[in-house]
């Protein structure tokens, strides 16, 4: 009996108690194959990302990934051609996210700076944005941070991966630093970035080394403490080196 027919029956003097058929829950619709496929892919990529972060590219096999998920390795081959494709898909999930967020932060900072960027301001847009991404993103970003640290320190093939995925945002930072330090040479700017990326990726790796060295006074996963210090520390380094070397060049010119 519908809501309209129930009301009509009441006003016609029908019994006070009406028998209303109980509402039934519609049967749950089976998930679409596309949804199941997407979920399976995410599980496989999560497992691969964690294993790569722990053992590196060459220390992980297709079987290792399958075993971690609890499936037969044939399922991995169903979704991926080989381990290289698994690795590429792992990198493709998060690298554009971190690069995109930093690029947006650098663009916003340049607009706010009104043509007068500072070294620390540019570094904060670049570094703090990345630290926020990795610290608030859960286990997946934690694993990706450790993996990125490995890649950045792997001569055989890591440089190519970093070049391909991160060069645009790095060069965007260099452009802002060039505005902030017009007397700096290109070499000094790039050496400065070299030191920055080493400190950043070491921090993203969260190795626990500083925990041990400091007797617990510092924690490698304390990203708020890192944010309070890293950009300022690096800015002083950039300014000190670039100014000192510029002064030395002027002195040599006068002589």
């Amino acid at each position: 009996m519908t809501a309209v027919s129930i009301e009509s029956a009441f006003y016609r003097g029908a019994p006070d108690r009406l028998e209303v058929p109980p509402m039934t829950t519609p049967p749950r619709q089976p998930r679409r194959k596309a949804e199941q496929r997407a979920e399976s892919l995410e599980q496989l990529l999560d497992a691969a990302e964690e294993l790569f972060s722990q053992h590196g590219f060459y220390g992980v096999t297709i079987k290792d990934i399958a075993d971690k998920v609890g499936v037969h390795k044939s399922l991995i081959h169903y979704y991926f051609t080989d381990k290289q494709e698994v690795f590429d898909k792992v990198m493709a999930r998060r690298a554009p996210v971190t690069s995109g967020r930093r690029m947006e932060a650098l663009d916003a900072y340049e607009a706010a700076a009104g043509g007068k960027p500072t070294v620390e301001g540019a570094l904060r847009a670049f570094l703090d944005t990345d630290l926020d991404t990795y610290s608030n993103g859960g286990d997946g970003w934690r694993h990706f941070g450790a993996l990125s640290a490995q890649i950045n320190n792997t001569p055989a093939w890591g440089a190519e991966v970093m070049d391909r995925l991160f060069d645009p945002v790095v060069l965007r930072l260099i452009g802002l630093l060039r505005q902030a330090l017009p007397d700096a040479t290109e070499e000094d700017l790039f050496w400065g970035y070299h030191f920055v990326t080493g400190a950043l990726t070491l921090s993203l790796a969260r190795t626990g080394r500083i925990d041990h060295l400091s007797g617990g006074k510092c924690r490698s996963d304390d990203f708020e403490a890192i944010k309070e210090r890293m950009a300022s520390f690096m800015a002083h380094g950039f300014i000190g080196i670039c100014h000192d070397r510029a002064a030395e060049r002027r002195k040599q010119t006068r002589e």
Side-chain angles (χ1 to χ4, degrees):
M1 185 178 294
T2 66
V4 174
S5 61
I6 291 173
E7 184 179 9
S8 300
F10 179 79
Y11 285 110
R12 287 200 305 267
D16 292 340
R17 183 185 177 94
L18 298 174
E19 297 294 331
V20 181
M23 295 182 65
T24 58
T25 301
R28 184 177 180 181
Q29 296 296 322
R31 290 186 304 163
R32 296 178 180 177
K33 287 185 177 180
E35 294 174 345
Q36 294 176 340
R37 175 183 171 85
E39 184 176 310
S40 296
L41 276 171
E42 286 299 301
Q43 290 176 344
L44 293 173
L45 291 174
D46 285 345
E49 183 176 59
E50 182 175 357
L51 290 171
F52 286 140
S53 75
Q54 295 170 347
H55 309 293
F57 178 79
Y58 292 109
V60 177
T61 66
I62 290 291
K63 185 176 184 303
D64 292 333
I65 300 170
D67 288 346
K68 186 166 184 62
V69 181
V71 298
H72 193 273
K73 65 179 183 179
S74 60
L75 182 65
I76 312 290
H77 290 295
Y78 174 78
Y79 286 113
F80 305 100
T81 303
D82 53 20
K83 186 176 68 172
Q84 183 64 56
E85 186 181 5
V86 178
F87 179 83
D88 291 342
K89 291 291 175 61
V90 165
M91 298 302 298
R93 282 198 308 175
R94 302 192 199 276
V97 175
T98 175
S99 289
R101 289 177 181 175
R102 284 183 288 176
M103 192 72 82
E104 290 175 2
L106 290 167
D107 288 344
Y109 174 70
E110 182 177 30
K116 295 181 179 180
T118 66
V119 176
E120 184 169 346
L123 288 171
R124 286 205 173 277
F126 183 85
L127 293 171
D128 291 4
T129 301
D130 216 32
L131 291 167
D132 284 341
T133 295
Y134 283 92
S135 62
N136 299 325
D139 286 342
W141 280 98
R142 184 186 186 97
H143 298 147
F144 189 73
L147 176 57
S148 298
Q150 284 193 44
I151 295 170
N152 203 32
N153 291 278
T154 303
W157 51 272
E160 183 278 327
V161 175
M162 299 300 285
D163 292 347
R164 174 163 42 88
L165 297 176
F166 298 113
D167 271 10
V169 70
V170 171
L171 294 174
R172 183 76 177 86
L173 170 64
I174 295 292
L176 281 176
L177 293 174
R178 190 179 290 117
Q179 292 181 51
L181 294 168
D183 291 337
T185 65
E186 292 288 292
E187 297 95 303
D188 288 337
L189 292 176
F190 281 102
W191 274 120
Y193 175 74
H194 180 74
F195 305 142
V196 167
T197 190
L200 175 61
T201 53
L202 176 61
S203 297
L204 297 182
R206 309 188 208 198
T207 64
R209 172 74 170 146
I210 194 172
D211 309 49
H212 172 74
L213 285 172
S214 69
K217 294 181 179 66
C218 306
R219 300 193 323 274
S220 60
D221 62 354
D222 187 353
F223 278 31
E224 286 304 313
I226 295 171
K227 281 173 58 179
E228 289 174 5
R229 295 164 173 83
M230 182 181 287
S232 179
F233 181 89
M234 293 299 175
H236 281 78
F238 264 103
I239 293 169
I241 291 297
C242 292
H243 283 184
D244 287 352
R245 289 175 62 79
E248 182 63 27
R249 287 194 300 275
R250 287 192 296 269
K251 178 181 177 181
Q252 290 176 355
T253 301
R254 288 194 300 269
E255 295 174 352

